[in-house]
Amino acid sequence: MKLNIGLKKILFSFSALACLSFSAHAVSKSEAAELLQKTEDSTSFYGTDFTAYYEVTQEKPGEGRSQTFATIYRRDDESKWTILITAPYKDRGKGYLQTENSIWFFDPADKRFTFTSSKDKFQGTNANTSDFAPQHYVRDYEIEKTEEVKLGSYECLLFTLKAKTKNVDYPMIKLWVTKNDGLTRKKEDYSLSGQKLRTTAIPSYQKVNGNGKIYQIPVNMVIQDNLKGRKINGKMSYERTNISISNAVLAKQDDAVYTKPYLELMSGK
């Protein structure tokens, strides 16, 4: 993956993002609810399967950079997804499968499937496996507060969401959503005590045609772990994971792609 454009540009620079309040038009509760539903819908692909190539780059301050390459298949209508790792060589053939409300990790070294969770980290990065799946903001959270803000040049609605259920990765999240299109631009994940755990930025989106519809898919997602880091030259630097998405296709895949035998078969190639 090419990162010569610099993480600062991809991240919008976390430290430099200006969030200024504005109130040109007060958003009603119903308008906020509609926008949040639109935001949730933008993370899903119903009526078709989604396939894309993911490059996941992990940066640990003072330790360097590592990369994982994977092909991801999603069938959101049936809450199924498959992740097949293609590189590096030592991890090639490993994979993840969600089916029947269970997530499994497959390691070709011992040809075993191990039960895992949506909260578990993907290949030791700052990304959870749930980051690769639809986000259920309306189903799992209630709107505690909304505020109209500017995020850089974007006019956004800032949602503070509290979980309705314990079956979520984070009990509270803050979500910056552009008012004109309902796309997520920034997300902060919090603990029950209110401690900020992660910050995610989505600087840009790509338009992909499929199933007679135009979908907006992130070009990059950058996840910063606000708990893991170290001081370098007197300045605190945090671990970051950059997820680059390319070659997105919206078309039906064979049913076998979402099965354990598929991962076992592909691990030998």
Short mmCIF file of all heavy atoms in Angstrom, two decimals, residues 184-243:
data_model
loop_
_atom_site.label_atom_id
_atom_site.label_comp_id
_atom_site.label_asym_id
_atom_site.label_seq_id
_atom_site.Cartn_x
_atom_site.Cartn_y
_atom_site.Cartn_z
N THR A 184 -20.61 8.92 7.47
CA THR A 184 -19.79 9.07 8.67
C THR A 184 -18.44 9.65 8.29
O THR A 184 -17.76 9.15 7.40
CB THR A 184 -19.57 7.71 9.36
OG1 THR A 184 -20.84 7.16 9.71
CG2 THR A 184 -18.72 7.86 10.60
N ARG A 185 -18.02 10.72 8.99
CA ARG A 185 -16.72 11.33 8.74
C ARG A 185 -15.75 11.07 9.89
O ARG A 185 -14.54 11.04 9.69
CB ARG A 185 -16.89 12.84 8.54
CG ARG A 185 -17.76 13.19 7.34
CD ARG A 185 -17.14 12.77 6.03
NE ARG A 185 -18.03 12.99 4.90
CZ ARG A 185 -17.69 12.80 3.62
NH1 ARG A 185 -16.47 12.37 3.34
NH2 ARG A 185 -18.55 13.01 2.64
N LYS A 186 -16.30 10.91 11.09
CA LYS A 186 -15.46 10.68 12.25
C LYS A 186 -16.30 9.95 13.31
O LYS A 186 -17.51 10.16 13.41
CB LYS A 186 -14.94 12.01 12.81
CG LYS A 186 -14.02 11.89 14.02
CD LYS A 186 -13.60 13.29 14.50
CE LYS A 186 -12.78 13.22 15.77
NZ LYS A 186 -12.44 14.57 16.29
N LYS A 187 -15.63 9.09 14.08
CA LYS A 187 -16.32 8.36 15.14
C LYS A 187 -15.38 8.21 16.32
O LYS A 187 -14.19 7.96 16.15
CB LYS A 187 -16.76 6.98 14.65
CG LYS A 187 -17.55 6.17 15.69
CD LYS A 187 -18.26 4.99 15.02
CE LYS A 187 -17.33 3.85 14.76
NZ LYS A 187 -17.09 3.03 15.98
N GLU A 188 -15.92 8.41 17.52
CA GLU A 188 -15.16 8.19 18.74
C GLU A 188 -15.88 7.14 19.58
O GLU A 188 -17.09 7.21 19.77
CB GLU A 188 -15.01 9.48 19.54
CG GLU A 188 -14.14 10.52 18.86
CD GLU A 188 -14.02 11.81 19.65
OE1 GLU A 188 -14.80 12.00 20.60
OE2 GLU A 188 -13.14 12.64 19.30
N ASP A 189 -15.12 6.15 20.08
CA ASP A 189 -15.67 5.07 20.90
C ASP A 189 -15.27 5.29 22.35
O ASP A 189 -14.10 5.58 22.64
CB ASP A 189 -15.13 3.72 20.42
CG ASP A 189 -15.42 3.47 18.94
OD1 ASP A 189 -16.58 3.68 18.54
OD2 ASP A 189 -14.49 3.08 18.21
N TYR A 190 -16.23 5.14 23.25
CA TYR A 190 -16.01 5.42 24.67
C TYR A 190 -16.36 4.21 25.54
O TYR A 190 -17.21 3.39 25.19
CB TYR A 190 -16.87 6.61 25.12
CG TYR A 190 -16.43 7.93 24.56
CD1 TYR A 190 -16.82 8.32 23.28
CD2 TYR A 190 -15.62 8.79 25.29
CE1 TYR A 190 -16.42 9.55 22.75
CE2 TYR A 190 -15.22 10.02 24.78
CZ TYR A 190 -15.62 10.39 23.51
OH TYR A 190 -15.21 11.60 22.98
N SER A 191 -15.71 4.16 26.70
CA SER A 191 -16.04 3.16 27.71
C SER A 191 -17.26 3.61 28.49
O SER A 191 -17.74 4.74 28.33
CB SER A 191 -14.86 2.96 28.66
OG SER A 191 -14.68 4.13 29.46
N LEU A 192 -17.74 2.74 29.38
CA LEU A 192 -18.90 3.08 30.21
C LEU A 192 -18.60 4.27 31.13
O LEU A 192 -19.49 5.06 31.45
CB LEU A 192 -19.31 1.86 31.03
CG LEU A 192 -20.67 1.91 31.73
CD1 LEU A 192 -21.79 2.09 30.70
CD2 LEU A 192 -20.89 0.65 32.55
N SER A 193 -17.33 4.41 31.52
CA SER A 193 -16.94 5.51 32.41
C SER A 193 -16.71 6.82 31.66
O SER A 193 -16.44 7.85 32.27
CB SER A 193 -15.67 5.14 33.18
OG SER A 193 -14.58 4.98 32.29
N GLY A 194 -16.79 6.77 30.33
CA GLY A 194 -16.61 7.98 29.54
C GLY A 194 -15.20 8.18 29.02
O GLY A 194 -14.89 9.25 28.46
N GLN A 195 -14.34 7.18 29.14
CA GLN A 195 -12.97 7.30 28.64
C GLN A 195 -12.95 7.05 27.13
O GLN A 195 -13.53 6.08 26.64
CB GLN A 195 -12.04 6.30 29.32
CG GLN A 195 -10.59 6.43 28.88
CD GLN A 195 -9.66 5.51 29.65
OE1 GLN A 195 -10.09 4.48 30.16
NE2 GLN A 195 -8.41 5.88 29.76
N LYS A 196 -12.29 7.94 26.40
CA LYS A 196 -12.19 7.77 24.95
C LYS A 196 -11.21 6.66 24.62
O LYS A 196 -10.06 6.70 25.03
CB LYS A 196 -11.78 9.08 24.28
CG LYS A 196 -11.77 9.02 22.76
CD LYS A 196 -11.74 10.39 22.12
CE LYS A 196 -10.46 11.14 22.40
NZ LYS A 196 -10.39 12.42 21.67
N LEU A 197 -11.68 5.68 23.86
CA LEU A 197 -10.87 4.50 23.56
C LEU A 197 -10.28 4.53 22.16
O LEU A 197 -9.11 4.21 21.97
CB LEU A 197 -11.72 3.22 23.72
CG LEU A 197 -12.39 3.05 25.09
CD1 LEU A 197 -13.29 1.82 25.08
CD2 LEU A 197 -11.34 2.94 26.19
N ARG A 198 -11.09 4.89 21.18
CA ARG A 198 -10.62 4.89 19.79
C ARG A 198 -11.20 6.10 19.05
O ARG A 198 -12.28 6.59 19.38
CB ARG A 198 -11.06 3.64 19.04
CG ARG A 198 -10.59 2.32 19.55
CD ARG A 198 -10.83 1.21 18.51
NE ARG A 198 -12.16 1.28 17.91
CZ ARG A 198 -12.52 0.59 16.83
NH1 ARG A 198 -11.67 -0.22 16.23
NH2 ARG A 198 -13.75 0.68 16.35
N THR A 199 -10.48 6.54 18.03
CA THR A 199 -10.97 7.57 17.12
C THR A 199 -10.81 7.05 15.70
O THR A 199 -9.75 6.56 15.32
CB THR A 199 -10.18 8.87 17.27
OG1 THR A 199 -10.25 9.30 18.63
CG2 THR A 199 -10.75 9.95 16.37
N THR A 200 -11.89 7.13 14.93
CA THR A 200 -11.86 6.68 13.53
C THR A 200 -12.18 7.85 12.62
O THR A 200 -13.13 8.60 12.85
CB THR A 200 -12.89 5.56 13.29
OG1 THR A 200 -12.61 4.45 14.15
CG2 THR A 200 -12.86 5.09 11.85
N ALA A 201 -11.38 8.02 11.58
CA ALA A 201 -11.62 9.05 10.57
C ALA A 201 -11.83 8.38 9.22
O ALA A 201 -11.16 7.40 8.88
CB ALA A 201 -10.44 10.01 10.48
N ILE A 202 -12.81 8.90 8.47
CA ILE A 202 -13.05 8.43 7.10
C ILE A 202 -12.97 9.65 6.18
O ILE A 202 -13.96 10.34 5.96
CB ILE A 202 -14.42 7.73 6.98
CG1 ILE A 202 -14.54 6.62 8.03
CG2 ILE A 202 -14.60 7.16 5.58
CD1 ILE A 202 -15.86 5.90 8.02
N PRO A 203 -11.78 9.93 5.66
CA PRO A 203 -11.57 11.17 4.91
C PRO A 203 -12.34 11.26 3.59
O PRO A 203 -12.78 12.33 3.20
CB PRO A 203 -10.06 11.17 4.64
CG PRO A 203 -9.49 10.22 5.64
CD PRO A 203 -10.53 9.18 5.86
N SER A 204 -12.49 10.12 2.88
CA SER A 204 -13.12 10.19 1.56
C SER A 204 -13.84 8.90 1.22
O SER A 204 -13.57 7.84 1.80
CB SER A 204 -12.05 10.49 0.48
OG SER A 204 -11.06 9.48 0.48
N TYR A 205 -14.76 9.04 0.28
CA TYR A 205 -15.57 7.91 -0.17
C TYR A 205 -15.44 7.74 -1.68
O TYR A 205 -15.16 8.69 -2.41
CB TYR A 205 -17.04 8.12 0.19
CG TYR A 205 -17.36 7.92 1.65
CD1 TYR A 205 -17.08 8.92 2.59
CD2 TYR A 205 -17.93 6.74 2.10
CE1 TYR A 205 -17.38 8.74 3.93
CE2 TYR A 205 -18.23 6.55 3.45
CZ TYR A 205 -17.96 7.56 4.36
OH TYR A 205 -18.23 7.38 5.70
N GLN A 206 -15.69 6.51 -2.15
CA GLN A 206 -15.71 6.21 -3.58
C GLN A 206 -17.11 5.73 -3.96
O GLN A 206 -17.79 5.06 -3.17
CB GLN A 206 -14.68 5.11 -3.90
CG GLN A 206 -14.86 3.84 -3.08
CD GLN A 206 -13.69 2.90 -3.21
OE1 GLN A 206 -13.32 2.53 -4.33
NE2 GLN A 206 -13.12 2.48 -2.08
N LYS A 207 -17.56 6.11 -5.14
CA LYS A 207 -18.87 5.70 -5.61
C LYS A 207 -18.75 4.43 -6.44
O LYS A 207 -17.93 4.35 -7.35
CB LYS A 207 -19.49 6.82 -6.45
CG LYS A 207 -19.84 8.07 -5.64
CD LYS A 207 -20.51 9.12 -6.51
CE LYS A 207 -20.88 10.35 -5.68
NZ LYS A 207 -21.53 11.40 -6.49
N VAL A 208 -19.57 3.44 -6.08
CA VAL A 208 -19.56 2.16 -6.78
C VAL A 208 -20.98 1.81 -7.18
O VAL A 208 -21.90 1.86 -6.36
CB VAL A 208 -18.97 1.04 -5.90
CG1 VAL A 208 -18.99 -0.30 -6.64
CG2 VAL A 208 -17.55 1.38 -5.47
N ASN A 209 -21.16 1.46 -8.45
CA ASN A 209 -22.48 1.12 -8.98
C ASN A 209 -22.72 -0.37 -8.81
O ASN A 209 -21.88 -1.19 -9.12
CB ASN A 209 -22.56 1.50 -10.46
CG ASN A 209 -23.98 1.47 -10.99
OD1 ASN A 209 -24.89 1.02 -10.29
ND2 ASN A 209 -24.17 1.93 -12.20
N GLY A 210 -23.90 -0.71 -8.29
CA GLY A 210 -24.26 -2.11 -8.15
C GLY A 210 -25.71 -2.28 -7.81
O GLY A 210 -26.28 -1.47 -7.08
N ASN A 211 -26.33 -3.30 -8.38
CA ASN A 211 -27.73 -3.61 -8.09
C ASN A 211 -28.64 -2.42 -8.42
O ASN A 211 -29.64 -2.18 -7.74
CB ASN A 211 -27.88 -3.99 -6.60
CG ASN A 211 -29.18 -4.70 -6.30
OD1 ASN A 211 -29.70 -5.43 -7.13
ND2 ASN A 211 -29.70 -4.48 -5.11
N GLY A 212 -28.24 -1.66 -9.47
CA GLY A 212 -29.05 -0.53 -9.89
C GLY A 212 -29.00 0.65 -8.95
O GLY A 212 -29.88 1.52 -8.97
N LYS A 213 -27.95 0.72 -8.12
CA LYS A 213 -27.85 1.76 -7.11
C LYS A 213 -26.41 2.22 -6.99
O LYS A 213 -25.47 1.44 -7.22
CB LYS A 213 -28.36 1.22 -5.77
CG LYS A 213 -28.30 2.17 -4.60
CD LYS A 213 -28.80 1.50 -3.33
CE LYS A 213 -28.65 2.40 -2.12
NZ LYS A 213 -29.10 1.73 -0.87
N ILE A 214 -26.21 3.48 -6.62
CA ILE A 214 -24.87 4.00 -6.37
C ILE A 214 -24.59 3.91 -4.87
O ILE A 214 -25.33 4.46 -4.06
CB ILE A 214 -24.72 5.46 -6.84
CG1 ILE A 214 -24.98 5.56 -8.34
CG2 ILE A 214 -23.33 5.99 -6.50
CD1 ILE A 214 -23.96 4.83 -9.20
N TYR A 215 -23.52 3.21 -4.51
CA TYR A 215 -23.13 3.06 -3.12
C TYR A 215 -21.90 3.92 -2.84
O TYR A 215 -21.02 4.07 -3.70
CB TYR A 215 -22.79 1.60 -2.80
CG TYR A 215 -23.97 0.66 -2.83
CD1 TYR A 215 -24.39 0.09 -4.03
CD2 TYR A 215 -24.66 0.34 -1.67
CE1 TYR A 215 -25.47 -0.78 -4.07
CE2 TYR A 215 -25.74 -0.52 -1.70
CZ TYR A 215 -26.14 -1.08 -2.90
OH TYR A 215 -27.22 -1.94 -2.92
N GLN A 216 -21.83 4.47 -1.64
CA GLN A 216 -20.67 5.24 -1.19
C GLN A 216 -19.86 4.35 -0.24
O GLN A 216 -20.34 3.97 0.83
CB GLN A 216 -21.13 6.50 -0.46
CG GLN A 216 -21.91 7.46 -1.35
CD GLN A 216 -21.06 8.59 -1.89
OE1 GLN A 216 -19.88 8.41 -2.17
NE2 GLN A 216 -21.63 9.76 -2.04
N ILE A 217 -18.63 4.05 -0.65
CA ILE A 217 -17.78 3.14 0.11
C ILE A 217 -16.51 3.88 0.50
O ILE A 217 -15.91 4.58 -0.34
CB ILE A 217 -17.43 1.90 -0.75
CG1 ILE A 217 -18.72 1.14 -1.10
CG2 ILE A 217 -16.45 0.99 -0.02
CD1 ILE A 217 -18.53 0.11 -2.17
N PRO A 218 -16.07 3.77 1.74
CA PRO A 218 -14.85 4.48 2.14
C PRO A 218 -13.65 4.12 1.26
O PRO A 218 -13.50 2.96 0.84
CB PRO A 218 -14.63 4.00 3.59
CG PRO A 218 -15.99 3.63 4.07
CD PRO A 218 -16.68 3.04 2.87
N VAL A 219 -12.82 5.10 0.99
CA VAL A 219 -11.53 4.85 0.34
C VAL A 219 -10.52 4.42 1.41
O VAL A 219 -9.78 3.47 1.23
CB VAL A 219 -11.03 6.11 -0.39
CG1 VAL A 219 -9.63 5.88 -0.96
CG2 VAL A 219 -12.00 6.51 -1.49
N ASN A 220 -10.53 5.13 2.52
CA ASN A 220 -9.66 4.82 3.67
C ASN A 220 -10.45 4.98 4.96
O ASN A 220 -11.30 5.85 5.08
CB ASN A 220 -8.46 5.75 3.73
CG ASN A 220 -7.45 5.49 2.64
OD1 ASN A 220 -7.53 6.11 1.60
ND2 ASN A 220 -6.52 4.58 2.88
N MET A 221 -10.12 4.15 5.92
CA MET A 221 -10.58 4.31 7.29
C MET A 221 -9.33 4.28 8.16
O MET A 221 -8.50 3.38 8.03
CB MET A 221 -11.52 3.18 7.71
CG MET A 221 -12.78 3.07 6.90
SD MET A 221 -13.71 1.55 7.28
CE MET A 221 -13.96 1.73 9.06
N VAL A 222 -9.17 5.28 9.02
CA VAL A 222 -8.00 5.34 9.88
C VAL A 222 -8.45 5.28 11.33
O VAL A 222 -9.23 6.12 11.78
CB VAL A 222 -7.18 6.62 9.63
CG1 VAL A 222 -5.86 6.56 10.41
CG2 VAL A 222 -6.89 6.77 8.14
N ILE A 223 -7.98 4.26 12.04
CA ILE A 223 -8.39 4.02 13.42
C ILE A 223 -7.21 4.30 14.34
O ILE A 223 -6.14 3.71 14.18
CB ILE A 223 -8.88 2.58 13.61
CG1 ILE A 223 -10.04 2.27 12.66
CG2 ILE A 223 -9.30 2.34 15.06
CD1 ILE A 223 -10.42 0.80 12.60
N GLN A 224 -7.41 5.19 15.29
CA GLN A 224 -6.38 5.51 16.27
C GLN A 224 -6.79 4.96 17.63
O GLN A 224 -7.90 5.22 18.10
CB GLN A 224 -6.17 7.01 16.37
CG GLN A 224 -5.18 7.43 17.45
CD GLN A 224 -4.91 8.92 17.43
OE1 GLN A 224 -4.20 9.42 16.56
NE2 GLN A 224 -5.48 9.66 18.37
N ASP A 225 -5.90 4.20 18.25
CA ASP A 225 -6.13 3.68 19.59
C ASP A 225 -5.66 4.72 20.60
O ASP A 225 -4.47 5.01 20.69
CB ASP A 225 -5.38 2.36 19.79
CG ASP A 225 -5.81 1.63 21.04
OD1 ASP A 225 -5.95 2.29 22.10
OD2 ASP A 225 -5.99 0.41 20.99
N ASN A 226 -6.60 5.28 21.34
CA ASN A 226 -6.26 6.36 22.27
C ASN A 226 -5.67 5.87 23.58
O ASN A 226 -5.37 6.69 24.46
CB ASN A 226 -7.49 7.22 22.53
CG ASN A 226 -7.98 7.93 21.28
OD1 ASN A 226 -8.94 7.50 20.65
ND2 ASN A 226 -7.31 8.99 20.90
N LEU A 227 -5.49 4.58 23.73
CA LEU A 227 -4.90 4.02 24.95
C LEU A 227 -3.51 3.44 24.71
O LEU A 227 -2.73 3.30 25.65
CB LEU A 227 -5.80 2.92 25.52
CG LEU A 227 -7.21 3.32 25.95
CD1 LEU A 227 -7.92 2.12 26.56
CD2 LEU A 227 -7.18 4.48 26.94
N LYS A 228 -3.20 3.11 23.45
CA LYS A 228 -1.93 2.47 23.14
C LYS A 228 -1.02 3.44 22.40
O LYS A 228 -1.37 3.92 21.31
CB LYS A 228 -2.14 1.21 22.29
CG LYS A 228 -2.91 0.12 23.02
CD LYS A 228 -3.06 -1.10 22.13
CE LYS A 228 -3.80 -2.21 22.85
NZ LYS A 228 -3.99 -3.40 21.98
N GLY A 229 0.12 3.73 22.99
CA GLY A 229 1.06 4.64 22.35
C GLY A 229 2.30 4.81 23.21
O GLY A 229 2.46 4.17 24.24
N ARG A 230 3.17 5.69 22.74
CA ARG A 230 4.40 5.96 23.49
C ARG A 230 4.91 7.34 23.12
O ARG A 230 4.56 7.88 22.06
CB ARG A 230 5.47 4.90 23.20
CG ARG A 230 5.88 4.82 21.75
CD ARG A 230 6.79 3.65 21.46
NE ARG A 230 8.06 3.75 22.18
CZ ARG A 230 9.06 2.88 22.03
NH1 ARG A 230 8.93 1.84 21.22
NH2 ARG A 230 10.19 3.05 22.69
N LYS A 231 5.71 7.91 24.00
CA LYS A 231 6.30 9.21 23.72
C LYS A 231 7.55 9.05 22.87
O LYS A 231 8.43 8.25 23.19
CB LYS A 231 6.63 9.93 25.03
CG LYS A 231 5.42 10.55 25.71
CD LYS A 231 5.83 11.46 26.86
CE LYS A 231 4.61 12.17 27.45
NZ LYS A 231 4.98 13.08 28.55
N ILE A 232 7.59 9.84 21.81
CA ILE A 232 8.75 9.86 20.93
C ILE A 232 9.18 11.32 20.78
O ILE A 232 8.39 12.16 20.35
CB ILE A 232 8.43 9.24 19.56
CG1 ILE A 232 8.04 7.76 19.73
CG2 ILE A 232 9.62 9.37 18.61
CD1 ILE A 232 7.65 7.08 18.43
N ASN A 233 10.41 11.60 21.19
CA ASN A 233 10.93 12.98 21.18
C ASN A 233 10.02 13.92 21.97
O ASN A 233 9.77 15.06 21.58
CB ASN A 233 11.09 13.48 19.75
CG ASN A 233 12.10 12.67 18.96
OD1 ASN A 233 13.10 12.21 19.50
ND2 ASN A 233 11.84 12.49 17.67
N GLY A 234 9.51 13.39 23.09
CA GLY A 234 8.69 14.20 23.98
C GLY A 234 7.26 14.38 23.55
O GLY A 234 6.49 15.07 24.23
N LYS A 235 6.85 13.78 22.43
CA LYS A 235 5.49 13.92 21.93
C LYS A 235 4.80 12.57 21.92
O LYS A 235 5.36 11.57 21.48
CB LYS A 235 5.50 14.52 20.52
CG LYS A 235 4.11 14.80 19.97
CD LYS A 235 4.21 15.44 18.59
CE LYS A 235 2.83 15.71 18.01
NZ LYS A 235 2.89 16.33 16.66
N MET A 236 3.55 12.54 22.39
CA MET A 236 2.80 11.30 22.45
C MET A 236 2.31 10.89 21.07
O MET A 236 1.70 11.69 20.35
CB MET A 236 1.59 11.44 23.39
CG MET A 236 0.92 10.14 23.73
SD MET A 236 2.02 9.08 24.73
CE MET A 236 1.04 7.59 24.81
N SER A 237 2.62 9.66 20.71
CA SER A 237 2.15 9.10 19.44
C SER A 237 1.36 7.83 19.73
O SER A 237 1.78 7.01 20.53
CB SER A 237 3.33 8.77 18.52
OG SER A 237 4.03 9.94 18.15
N TYR A 238 0.22 7.68 19.07
CA TYR A 238 -0.66 6.54 19.32
C TYR A 238 -0.62 5.54 18.16
O TYR A 238 -0.30 5.89 17.02
CB TYR A 238 -2.10 7.02 19.53
CG TYR A 238 -2.28 7.85 20.78
CD1 TYR A 238 -2.28 9.24 20.71
CD2 TYR A 238 -2.46 7.25 22.01
CE1 TYR A 238 -2.44 10.01 21.85
CE2 TYR A 238 -2.62 8.01 23.16
CZ TYR A 238 -2.61 9.39 23.07
OH TYR A 238 -2.76 10.15 24.21
N GLU A 239 -0.97 4.31 18.48
CA GLU A 239 -1.06 3.29 17.45
C GLU A 239 -2.18 3.65 16.48
O GLU A 239 -3.23 4.14 16.89
CB GLU A 239 -1.35 1.92 18.07
CG GLU A 239 -0.20 1.33 18.83
CD GLU A 239 -0.47 -0.11 19.25
OE1 GLU A 239 -1.48 -0.70 18.77
OE2 GLU A 239 0.29 -0.64 20.06
N ARG A 240 -1.94 3.38 15.20
CA ARG A 240 -2.94 3.68 14.18
C ARG A 240 -3.03 2.53 13.18
O ARG A 240 -2.02 1.91 12.84
CB ARG A 240 -2.60 4.97 13.44
CG ARG A 240 -2.82 6.23 14.25
CD ARG A 240 -2.29 7.45 13.53
NE ARG A 240 -2.57 8.67 14.27
CZ ARG A 240 -2.01 9.84 14.01
NH1 ARG A 240 -1.13 9.95 13.05
NH2 ARG A 240 -2.33 10.91 14.74
N THR A 241 -4.24 2.29 12.73
CA THR A 241 -4.48 1.29 11.70
C THR A 241 -5.17 1.96 10.52
O THR A 241 -6.22 2.58 10.68
CB THR A 241 -5.38 0.15 12.22
OG1 THR A 241 -4.74 -0.48 13.33
CG2 THR A 241 -5.63 -0.89 11.13
N ASN A 242 -4.55 1.87 9.35
CA ASN A 242 -5.13 2.43 8.14
C ASN A 242 -5.70 1.29 7.29
O ASN A 242 -5.00 0.34 6.97
CB ASN A 242 -4.09 3.21 7.33
CG ASN A 242 -4.69 3.84 6.09
OD1 ASN A 242 -5.41 4.82 6.16
ND2 ASN A 242 -4.41 3.24 4.93
N ILE A 243 -6.98 1.41 6.96
CA ILE A 243 -7.65 0.40 6.14
C ILE A 243 -7.97 1.02 4.79
O ILE A 243 -8.74 1.98 4.71
CB ILE A 243 -8.94 -0.10 6.82
CG1 ILE A 243 -8.62 -0.69 8.20
CG2 ILE A 243 -9.64 -1.14 5.94
CD1 ILE A 243 -9.86 -1.02 9.02
#
